[in-house]
Each structure stands twice: as C-alpha cells, then as structure tokens.
C-alpha cells in the first residue's frame, strides 16, 4: 500500500510471496458454518499512528463510502470497551483489588526507577532479575493487569517491558481496559481482506505456496541478487536486479503453529530445521553481523510458547448470557478476563455477534482465549494445558466460571479450535539493542526488513502497529521518499500521563493536596538535584517535522547568513 499510494509505484510491479494459501498471518481466520479457527487476538489503541494511517487509505467493504479507519471509529463510538471484571478468582468471584495500584515504598521506588532506566542497563536482563524473583511487584494489581494482557512473563525482557510501560504511558485505565479499540469485525475481515481487495484492484500479484528461505547477496551483503524459495515444494531462484526492492518479514510469531479441536491435542512442533521465515533471518545472520542474532529469540520453546483456543457455541445462548450477567459486560465490550488463580493462567474474551459476517444469522456466539502457563497442571483437568483437547480446555473454563452444571449442554453445542504456537512470545526474550536488525541494515541498497523482529528505537513489538510501521519506514528509506515517518508517540514524556500515573500509584483521587507531597530529607537535597537534572536532560527534544534536507536546520542558530550588519 505504501509503495503504491505514497511512493507512486505501479501495482503490477509488486509481487507478494506467501508460503500459505491466504494472507493475514496471525490475523488470519478460517470460518466455516458452526466452526471458526482464529489463533490470535489484537489489542489496538489510539496511538498506533501508522496503522490508522494505513486504514485511512483503504475503503471498508461493509461500509460504502467509508474508509477502514472511519468504520473503526464508528464501531468504537457505538460500543466502547469498559470492563469491571478484569480478573476473577475463587470460581467466578471478581477480584476487586484490581483497581488498587498502591505498592510498598521500596517496590514503588523500584518501579519509578525502572521507568527511567537507560536501555543499555537493561540489556540481556529479565524482568525478575531487575525487580527480584520474589518481589511484591509480581503480586501487584499493576502486574496482574499488565502481564496477562500482553503475554509478558517474569523471565521475559526487562528492556521490552520498560518500552511497553513508556510507550503506552502505563495505560492509566488498564484496569478497566478503557482505551483498547476494536474493529467492526475480526481484523481479517475488517483490515486484511479490504487491503487485499485494494491491492488486487491495482494489479499486485500474489504468489501462494512459495516458501522463501534465503537470499543471494553480493559479498558485503548489501545488495540482494536473488530470492531462494520452494514453490509448491520445488526449488526456485527468483532473480533480483539492483534497482529492485526486496522487503522481507524475517520471522513469524505463527511459525510452526499446530492446531487441534474438540477431541485432538494441538502438538508442540519442536523442529529446529524448518522454521519458516526464521530460516531467512538465520541464513543471513550467519553471513553478516548487521543482520542481528536470531539465536537470542529462538531455541527456548518452553519459554516462548503458549496455546490459544477459540470457541464457537451454536444455538445455545445460555452460556454467553450467564457470562454477561457474571461480568456485567455485554459481549464485545468487556475485553479480556483473566482467571487469577488458574494453574494455566487462562484468559478469555467474549466477542459480539458481528465478529464474523454471518455469525448473527447462524445464531453463533464466539470467544477467544489463551493459557500463558500451559505447561502447568490445570485445577479441574489435572494435566498440562499443552496436553489437552478442546473439550478438556472448555471444561476447565466452565469450572473456573462455576458453570459445570451446564457442561453437557455447552459441550454439545460447542466447536473448539486450539492452536499451539512455539514462538508466540519469542520476540520478548532478553536481548540487546543490536540483536534485531534495523529496518534497512547499514549499507543495504535494496533490502529492508519488516515485522516483529526488527529494531525500531523507542517502539515495541507484538503489536499490529509494528507490522505496519516497519514497512512504512522501509518504503520511505529504500525509495528515498521525501516524507517523514510518523513519530512513535512519546507518552512517557506527556505530563498528563505522568500526573495520572503518580496519583494512581499513590491511591490519590481528586486534586493533589499538600498532605500528598512526600517528605524531603534536607540532607539529600543535593543528591535529589542531581537525579532531577539527569531525568530532565534525558528527555529528548520535541518532534520537529521540517528540518531541511540535511535534517540540521533546527540545530543551527543561523542558516541564512544575512548581509545586513548586526547591532551589538
């Protein structure tokens, strides 16, 4: 889209090579009457600027005369997400302490230090190494709101967690899930499908069944000369001219995903030879350091995998009606619910009856969920989630929501698809700032990387925004387009977020009073001044859009050199 609409490239000049038989990746869905397969869930928010820029270009399929962005705005105005059942425990009881973000003084100070820690001090460090394995931080309401929503675990990257907290300003109403947005339907029907229609209308070619695994490059690894792939199982080499552009997704969260259903377990694929898009990255990284270190993210499947499930209930509305009464939220407006005392740490989200185009007329209700610790035994089904069928997972859900009295009816009307994803949180593994390649690695003339394994300073991974920002930047850089990339929203420097965060963690409601101010030790004023100066000077300059072609105008005191004499 950006090549065509921003850079002016004819659509017929573009070919997309795809291993599967459809587009969408983790946003892909498979829908047949009475049974849907939907492995992933997206949490969208207002400051995904590149995503909304893309959506503003694409006409919606369901809303004539409206863009995908228009349609999404309408959908959220009509049914905004707000939950008062963020977490449950004790078989269906709402955990009311979810709104109390107060921590003891030491833990609070540690968190505040974390938010301003230089990234180089967090490289190769886990979250629990920073806070301490037994820290009260991991029992706080803030952690329980943050980590199941985003799939962070204590052994994941402290650097990436810090970026999340900075990028989204700690999401001040995250305990209500306010500010999380949704599309009119699932993201495939609302974003992927209309984008594909737009591309096809402009002559873009789609080559399915083509698994790219390596690139032929010149000796310094600057220019791509060929694309190595298997097309329907046969080895092919696609020639690349120096003036061509090659955009590569160098890793997939869905690599080696395997599926199950009501009666079949989704296996865990531990193959380390055929790893889909990771093969390209691994082969390039062996040849040049500038392509990063994929091994930092791969090879620890038991720390990067978890299972999702998708439940379709046909002709039995009682199940969803009871869930709505328990949570107080209508389907589609309540966001994700986590079972706090679940061995699997299971979560689920109820969608409305417009999530799929024909769902309402087919009298179908659907929900998505996951289990972040599927290697642990369940509480009703006494074995790991990773070894369970869809029926067993649904029974575990019914147990935690205190609905085993209708288990026979629910099972009789439910189709459950399961998906085991070995690399779904591989992008969160501890790393340095150089372990992922830049969008256009140093010296590269016709190669750019896209996706969740690319380094964008200040931005996070595991978002659909990253999947849009990286190709936007790639197009602008490779084509030399004289257009600014939209900045990553600097929420951590927005005083409004800072103030709300301070009040939330202090348990302050209403205006701040003198009694709320901390006591100051006069003997530490000198030390406090140094800390304050450090924090003030670490704030980057405000975003300047027009700096001239050499990007230096805003840094110079004088650029015009007028001849008129100056007066002292």
């Amino acid at each position: 889209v950006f090549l065509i609409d921003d850079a002016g490239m004819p659509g017929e000049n573009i070919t997309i090579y795809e291993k599967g038989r459809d587009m969408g990746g983790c946003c892909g869905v498979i829908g047949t009457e009475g049974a849907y397969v939907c492995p992933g869930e997206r949490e969208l928010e207002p400051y995904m600027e590149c995503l909304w820029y893309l959506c503003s270009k694409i006409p919606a399929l369901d809303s004539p005369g409206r863009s995908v962005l228009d349609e999404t705005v309408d959908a959220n105005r009509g049914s905004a997400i707000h939950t008062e059942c963020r977490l449950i425990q004790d078989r269906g009881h709402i955990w009311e302490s979810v709104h109390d973000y107060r921590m003891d003084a030491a833990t609070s100070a540690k968190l505040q230090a974390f938010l301003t820690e230089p990234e180089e001090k967090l490289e190769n460090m886990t979250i629990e190494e920073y806070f301490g394995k037994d820290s009260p931080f991991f029992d706080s309401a803030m952690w329980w709101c943050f980590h199941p929503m985003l799939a962070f675990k204590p052994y994941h990257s402290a650097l990436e967690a810090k970026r999340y907290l900075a990028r989204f300003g700690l999401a001040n109403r995250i305990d209500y899930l306010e500010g999380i947005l949704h599309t009119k339907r699932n993201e495939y029907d609302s974003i992927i499908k209309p984008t594909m229609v737009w591309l096809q209308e402009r002559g873009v070619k789609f080559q399915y069944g083509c698994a790219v695994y390596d690139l032929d490059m010149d000796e310094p690894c600057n220019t791509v000369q060929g694309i190595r792939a298997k097309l329907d199982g046969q080895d092919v080499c696609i020639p690349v001219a120096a003036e061509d552009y090659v955009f590569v997704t160098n890793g997939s969260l869905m690599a080696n995903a395997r599926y199950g259903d009501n009666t079949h377990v989704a296996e865990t694929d531990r193959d380390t030879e055929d790893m889909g898009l990771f093969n390209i990255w691994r082969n390039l990284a062996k040849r040049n350091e500038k392509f990063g270190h994929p091994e930092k993210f791969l090879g620890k499947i038991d720390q990067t995998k978890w299972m999702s499930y998708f439940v379709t209930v046909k002709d039995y509305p009682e199940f969803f009606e009871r869930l709505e009464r328990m949570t107080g939220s209508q389907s589609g407006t309540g966001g994700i619910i986590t079972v706090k005392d679940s061995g699997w740490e299971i979560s689920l989200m109820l969608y409305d009856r417009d999530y799929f185009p024909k769902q309402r007329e087919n009298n179908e209700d659907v929900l998505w969920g996951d289990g972040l610790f599927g290697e642990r035994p369940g509480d009703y089904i006494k074995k790991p989630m990773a070894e369970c069928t869809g029926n067993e997972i649904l029974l575990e859900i019914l147990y935690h929501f205190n609905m085993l009295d209708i288990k026979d009816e629910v099972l009789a009307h439910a189709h459950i698809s399961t998906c085991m994803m070995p690399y779904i949180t591989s992008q969160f593994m501890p790393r340095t700032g150089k372990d992922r390649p830049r969008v256009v690695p140093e010296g590269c003339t016709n190669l750019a990387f896209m996706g969740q394994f690319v380094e964008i300073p200040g931005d996070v991974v595991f978002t659909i925004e990253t999947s849009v920002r990286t190709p936007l930047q790639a197009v602008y850089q490779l084509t030399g387009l004289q257009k600014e990339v939209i900045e990553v929203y600097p929420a951590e420097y927005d005083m409004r977020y800072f103030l709300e965060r301070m009040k939330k963690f202090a348990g302050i409601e209403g205006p701040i009073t003198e009694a709320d101010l901390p006591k100051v030790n006069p003997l530490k004023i000198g030390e406090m001044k140094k800390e304050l100066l450090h924090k003030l000077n670490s704030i980057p300059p405000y975003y300047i859009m027009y700096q001239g072609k050499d990007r230096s105008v805003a840094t110079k005191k004088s650029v015009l050199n007028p001849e008129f004499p100056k007066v002292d």
Side-chain angles (χ1 to χ4, degrees):
V1 174
F2 299 134
L3 278 170
I4 296 169
D5 202 57
D6 290 54
M9 179 176 285
E12 58 266 24
N13 288 19
I14 301 169
T15 301
I16 299 175
Y17 297 98
E18 164 63 38
K19 180 180 179 180
R21 299 294 171 181
D22 198 0
M23 296 292 165
C26 200
C27 292
V29 298
I30 303 169
T32 57
E33 187 174 339
Y36 298 99
V37 178
C38 186
E41 154 62 24
R42 265 65 49 191
E43 283 152 341
L44 312 178
E45 59 91 38
Y47 292 109
M48 292 182 168
E49 307 280 11
C50 298
L51 170 64
W52 304 130
Y53 176 59
L54 171 70
C55 290
S56 71
K57 298 173 178 287
I58 306 298
L61 298 182
D62 283 352
S63 308
R66 309 285 281 169
S67 69
V68 171
L69 176 59
D70 295 329
E71 182 184 73
T72 303
V73 170
D74 293 342
N76 286 277
R77 281 176 176 161
S79 58
I81 291 178
H82 168 87
T83 183
E84 295 180 27
C85 183
R86 183 69 182 79
L87 291 107
I88 68 165
Q89 62 182 17
D90 300 328
R91 301 193 63 197
H93 292 78
I94 294 175
W95 188 53
E96 294 183 339
S97 298
V98 67
H99 305 300
D100 187 355
Y101 269 41
R102 290 175 295 178
M103 302 177 187
D104 64 82
T107 306
S108 181
K110 189 73 172 176
L111 178 59
Q112 292 300 328
F114 182 61
L115 294 171
T116 56
E117 202 75 73
E119 286 196 352
E120 55 268 22
K121 289 189 176 182
L122 300 176
E123 291 187 334
N124 292 323
M125 183 182 291
T126 68
I127 303 169
E128 63 185 0
E129 283 173 343
Y130 184 87
F131 285 95
K133 191 170 185 179
D134 299 319
S135 170
F137 173 72
F138 296 110
D139 293 322
S140 68
M142 182 261 150
W143 174 252
W144 274 102
C145 285
F146 173 76
H147 94 269
M149 174 183 173
L150 300 165
F152 270 104
K153 298 181 182 181
Y155 52 73
H156 282 151
S157 167
L159 192 161
E160 196 67 36
K162 188 257 184 180
R163 278 198 187 180
Y164 255 94
L165 297 177
R167 171 73 165 86
F168 298 111
L170 265 182
N172 292 313
R173 295 277 289 183
I174 194 175
D175 43 328
Y176 292 100
L177 287 175
E178 291 175 359
I180 300 298
L181 307 178
H182 59 89
T183 48
K184 180 179 179 179
R185 302 196 190 280
N186 63 83
E187 289 85 357
Y188 179 86
D189 283 304
S190 285
I191 299 178
I192 305 299
K193 191 173 179 181
T195 302
M196 288 175 62
V197 170
W198 190 92
L199 293 172
Q200 289 164 346
E201 290 173 347
R202 285 153 182 78
V204 174
K205 297 179 283 291
F206 296 82
Q207 179 63 70
Y208 295 106
C210 187
V212 177
Y213 61 87
D214 202 359
L215 303 177
D216 290 339
M217 303 196 71
D218 62 0
E219 188 173 350
C221 290
N222 289 336
T223 303
V224 180
Q225 299 173 333
I227 298 171
R228 298 279 175 176
K230 287 187 179 293
L231 179 58
D232 293 327
Q234 300 297 314
D235 279 310
V236 296
C237 183
I238 303 158
V240 176
E243 63 269 21
D244 294 337
Y245 300 125
V246 180
F247 301 89
V248 175
T249 307
N250 61 313
S252 171
L253 306 181
M254 293 295 294
N256 291 356
R258 295 293 180 265
Y259 297 89
D261 56 30
N262 291 56
T263 56
H264 296 87
V265 176
E267 67 171 306
T268 301
D269 189 333
R270 298 181 180 274
D271 185 1
T272 58
E273 295 300 318
D274 184 5
M275 298 175 64
L277 292 171
F278 288 123
N279 290 339
I280 310 173
W281 189 15
R282 292 195 303 176
N283 287 331
L284 291 174
K286 289 175 184 176
R287 304 205 289 268
N288 198 293
E289 185 78 11
K290 67 185 175 184
F291 297 129
H293 302 97
E295 69 275 6
K296 296 292 285 289
F297 307 92
L298 310 175
K300 295 183 179 179
I301 288 176
D302 288 324
Q303 294 185 21
T304 61
K305 68 174 173 64
W306 46 256
M307 181 186 285
S308 70
Y309 58 92
F310 199 82
V311 181
T312 305
V313 179
K314 184 176 176 63
D315 296 328
Y316 189 69
E318 171 67 15
F319 178 37
F320 272 60
E321 289 170 1
R322 284 180 63 168
L323 286 170
E324 289 176 337
R325 290 195 297 271
M326 174 185 290
T327 63
S329 298
Q330 288 187 333
S331 297
T333 66
I336 196 162
I337 305 164
T338 297
V339 182
K340 189 173 183 288
D341 54 356
S342 161
W344 299 341
E345 198 169 301
I346 204 163
S347 298
L348 60 82
M349 178 181 296
L350 310 181
Y351 296 122
D352 63 27
R353 285 198 161 189
D354 293 312
Y355 197 67
F356 294 102
K358 294 186 178 180
Q359 181 188 334
R360 187 176 293 275
E361 64 186 76
N362 290 335
N363 197 27
E364 297 165 339
D365 293 296
V366 296
L367 66 83
W368 176 91
D370 64 15
L372 293 188
F373 291 93
E375 64 277 5
R376 302 192 307 213
D379 301 285
Y380 181 73
I381 303 296
K382 305 291 187 180
K383 60 181 180 180
M385 184 181 184
E387 299 175 9
C388 289
T389 65
N391 282 346
E392 290 171 324
I393 292 171
L394 186 51
L395 284 171
E396 184 80 3
I397 295 168
L398 292 171
Y399 167 79
H400 280 293
F401 283 82
N402 200 23
M403 294 187 190
L404 286 174
D405 58 302
I406 57 170
K407 64 181 178 64
D408 293 336
E409 291 86 349
V410 174
L411 287 171
H413 290 83
H415 176 274
I416 307 106
S417 67
T418 62
C419 183
M420 173 58 79
M421 298 165 283
Y423 304 102
I424 189 62
T425 51
S426 55
Q427 74 287 348
F428 283 169
M429 295 303 285
R431 62 174 177 84
T432 72
K434 295 182 179 180
D435 288 328
R436 300 189 300 223
R438 295 299 177 106
V439 172
V440 178
E442 184 178 0
C444 287
T445 62
N446 66 350
L447 170 66
F449 290 112
M450 311 178 293
Q452 304 300 320
F453 296 89
V454 182
E455 186 62 29
I456 299 286
D459 211 353
V460 301
V461 291
F462 206 34
T463 69
I464 195 170
E465 170 74 355
T466 306
S467 296
V468 180
R469 176 174 289 278
T470 47
L472 171 68
Q473 184 172 326
V475 167
Y476 287 14
Q477 283 189 246
L478 280 191
T479 64
L481 189 65
Q482 292 295 304
K483 191 171 181 179
E484 291 287 333
V485 176
I486 304 167
E487 73 163 339
V488 177
Y489 184 68
E492 64 181 309
Y493 304 114
D494 190 324
M495 289 301 294
R496 297 166 297 180
Y497 283 102
F498 178 83
L499 178 62
E500 286 302 314
R501 181 171 69 218
M502 184 178 71
K503 290 167 66 175
K504 193 174 188 70
F505 279 85
I508 300 171
E509 296 184 8
I512 298 173
T513 66
E514 187 174 343
D516 297 317
L517 298 177
K519 294 180 180 179
V520 177
N521 183 344
L523 299 177
K524 292 189 175 182
I525 287 179
E527 182 182 329
M528 292 171 65
K529 284 182 179 179
K530 290 181 181 179
E531 184 178 355
L532 177 61
L533 286 171
H534 169 72
K535 289 183 177 180
L536 288 173
N537 289 322
S538 68
I539 299 174
Y542 66 91
Y543 183 62
I544 303 169
M545 292 188 67
Y546 303 105
Q547 302 185 56
K549 287 191 175 182
D550 66 355
R551 301 186 62 79
S552 67
V553 170
T555 65
K556 297 176 180 177
K557 290 183 178 180
S558 176
V559 294
L560 298 179
N561 300 312
E563 294 183 4
F564 200 89
K566 298 178 181 179
V567 179
D568 291 334

